[in-house]
Amino acid sequence: MNKFKILIACLVLGSFGCAKEESENAITTQESESATTSSTLALDEGVTLKNLPFKFGAAVNVNHMKSRPEYRDLIIKEYSSLTAENAMKIGALHPAQDTYNFTDADYLVNFAIANGKRVHGHTLIWDSSLPAWIKNFQGDYPAWKKMFELHITTVVKHFKGRVASWDVINEAFDDSGNIQNTIWRQHLGPNYIDMAFIFAHRADPAAKLFINDYGHENGNSRREGIIAYVKALRAKKVPIDGIGMQFHTRYNRGTSSWTKAINETAATGLLVHISELDIAVNPEGVKGYVPTAERITQQAEAYKTIFKLYNAIPKAQQWGITTWNLTDNDSHLKSRPDYPLPFDANYQRKPAYQGILDGVK
């Protein structure tokens, strides 16, 4: 990597302001004028993250894709895999019992195919982002099972052959590693997880199927519970292919925590997807926080460490690493404020970008 020369520019001070954002997808004047505090990185423009030895992805906002040329251009240039940030969640895809709305999800999938990107579906079954009709659904066990199966089958068949993989089950476990008492468990029992994988596999036998959850790197209980449950699914021949580790982490979480999470998950022999990566530099949520050059460098080292650890697991198990959106200004953490992604508010590469490259040398 000697051909890369790093130029750390001066800190650009700014803030996002304190006005309340009208909605997640709103594009405001304040957003366009705000500046993320970060150091920027000058690199050979011929180098892109889409050429990493495994898929590098982002969870993307379809409204931004439609309205921001810079956003689309960055996706095309840097990423090899796309996940829908919100467009494939139940509330977006299935707003009423007899109504499906595939408009935004189809836009994303068609864009990905046109630009040679893989698509990872997120998510078939979750206890959040539920439409009112599911929350208020009346019926006995057979009625719930029929509704559950119909949703999964309809969605997966719609994208069959175009979506390579799915987060079939999202955030089903608690911090103790036990299955949460979600609306699905209340009406279908704990075997709803088994059923979801079976129905998804029937709808598209070629799609890779994942269980996705957070906190793998935060402690042992949740991770151990998930791994034990996945092993039990495999023993029952339930068609599960991989584990998604969200990795909403922080610059100072620690190498040992990341190492245990990645290596113990890889030890299952299943596909491993770091599915929602971002690395906070203001985990305490200090108001008006402006990161120092030292903190930005620490973030870059954290990216390097995580990518190095992931790159060391067997290649056949590497489904890829996906960040949760593209730039600091698109992050779900921006109002804290925080600056957790490899690109700043102006779509420029941060030192974290070089950290990623260094991690896969």
Side-chain angles (χ1 to χ4, degrees):
M1 290 291 175
N2 291 333
K3 64 179 181 177
F4 303 127
K5 295 183 178 179
I6 303 176
L7 175 61
I8 305 297
C10 61
L11 287 176
V12 182
L13 299 181
S15 70
F16 291 112
C18 59
K20 182 178 181 181
E21 187 175 10
E22 292 182 2
S23 72
E24 179 181 1
N25 296 326
I27 301 170
T28 65
T29 302
Q30 183 182 355
E31 269 189 324
S32 62
E33 292 178 351
S34 67
T36 301
T37 301
S38 67
S39 299
T40 57
L41 185 69
L43 277 177
D44 183 342
E45 285 300 309
V47 176
T48 66
L49 298 181
K50 70 180 179 182
N51 295 322
L52 295 182
F54 45 78
K55 295 290 186 182
F56 179 68
V60 294
N61 182 306
V62 173
N63 282 357
H64 292 355
M65 292 174 68
K66 291 178 178 180
S67 62
R68 299 182 180 181
E70 301 93 340
Y71 193 91
R72 291 195 304 273
D73 291 346
L74 190 64
I75 292 171
I76 292 169
K77 181 177 182 179
E78 299 283 0
Y79 297 89
S80 53
S81 179
L82 300 183
T83 298
E85 182 183 44
N86 292 308
M88 291 185 180
K89 292 174 181 174
I90 300 178
L93 278 187
H94 200 173
Q97 187 168 357
D98 298 319
T99 302
Y100 289 87
N101 180 1
F102 292 108
T103 302
D104 282 352
D106 280 337
Y107 176 93
L108 186 155
V109 171
N110 292 336
F111 176 93
I113 292 171
N115 290 282
K117 317 294 184 186
R118 184 185 71 187
V119 179
H120 177 75
H122 177 81
T123 174
L124 292 175
I125 297 298
W126 190 24
D127 198 45
S128 297
S129 295
L130 293 176
W133 73 268
I134 290 181
K135 295 178 181 179
N136 300 323
F137 188 79
Q138 300 296 313
D140 55 10
Y141 176 89
W144 272 88
K145 182 178 178 181
K146 181 179 179 180
M147 176 266 284
F148 184 78
E149 180 177 7
L150 182 61
H151 171 78
I152 293 171
T153 301
T154 301
V155 172
V156 176
K157 280 190 173 181
H158 179 85
F159 295 107
K160 183 177 182 179
R162 299 188 295 153
V163 170
S165 54
W166 286 96
D167 288 331
V168 177
I169 297 291
N170 191 58
E171 297 180 0
F173 292 82
D174 62 23
D175 288 337
S176 297
N178 299 314
I179 301 174
Q180 296 193 65
N181 190 32
T182 65
I183 193 172
W184 306 110
R185 181 175 182 174
Q186 291 167 22
H187 294 281
L188 295 170
N191 286 338
Y192 83 90
I193 295 176
D194 306 48
M195 290 191 288
F197 280 96
I198 291 167
F199 296 151
H201 181 70
R202 287 175 183 170
D204 186 357
K208 300 298 183 183
L209 307 180
F210 287 76
I211 192 165
N212 188 58
D213 223 306
Y214 66 91
H216 291 258
E217 76 284 8
N218 294 344
N220 295 326
S221 296
R222 178 187 287 268
R223 180 181 65 255
E224 290 171 354
I226 293 169
I227 290 174
Y229 195 87
V230 166
K231 288 180 178 178
L233 291 180
R234 295 287 285 176
K236 292 186 288 185
K237 307 299 183 184
V238 174
I240 179 172
D241 299 292
I243 298 174
M245 299 186 293
Q246 293 184 10
F247 259 58
H248 294 292
T249 192
R250 55 177 65 186
Y251 77 97
N252 58 350
R253 172 59 65 189
T255 299
S256 62
S257 297
W258 298 325
T259 302
K260 287 190 71 174
I262 292 171
N263 290 347
E264 289 183 11
T265 301
T268 64
L270 295 174
L271 296 171
V272 179
H273 184 201
I274 295 182
S275 55
E276 304 183 16
L277 176 65
D278 45 34
I279 302 178
V281 294
N282 182 25
E284 299 82 8
V286 177
K287 299 299 182 183
Y289 179 76
V290 176
T292 62
E294 179 185 14
R295 186 65 56 85
I296 292 298
T297 299
Q298 290 172 317
Q299 181 188 58
E301 284 297 314
Y303 269 100
K304 176 182 176 179
T305 298
I306 290 170
F307 274 74
K308 184 175 182 179
L309 288 167
Y310 186 82
N311 196 41
I313 71 173
K315 297 300 179 186
Q317 291 179 253
Q318 294 176 356
W319 195 245
I321 295 181
T322 295
T323 59
W324 201 247
N325 226 307
L326 275 65
T327 78
D328 289 336
N329 204 36
D330 307 310
S331 171
H332 65 113
L333 299 175
K334 80 169 190 176
S335 62
R336 191 154 71 185
D338 216 312
Y339 311 91
L341 293 166
F343 298 93
D344 67 20
N346 297 312
Y347 301 92
Q348 299 302 304
R349 298 165 171 178
K350 293 165 54 182
Y353 190 104
Q354 182 66 50
I356 293 172
L357 294 177
D358 291 343
V360 298
K361 281 183 180 178

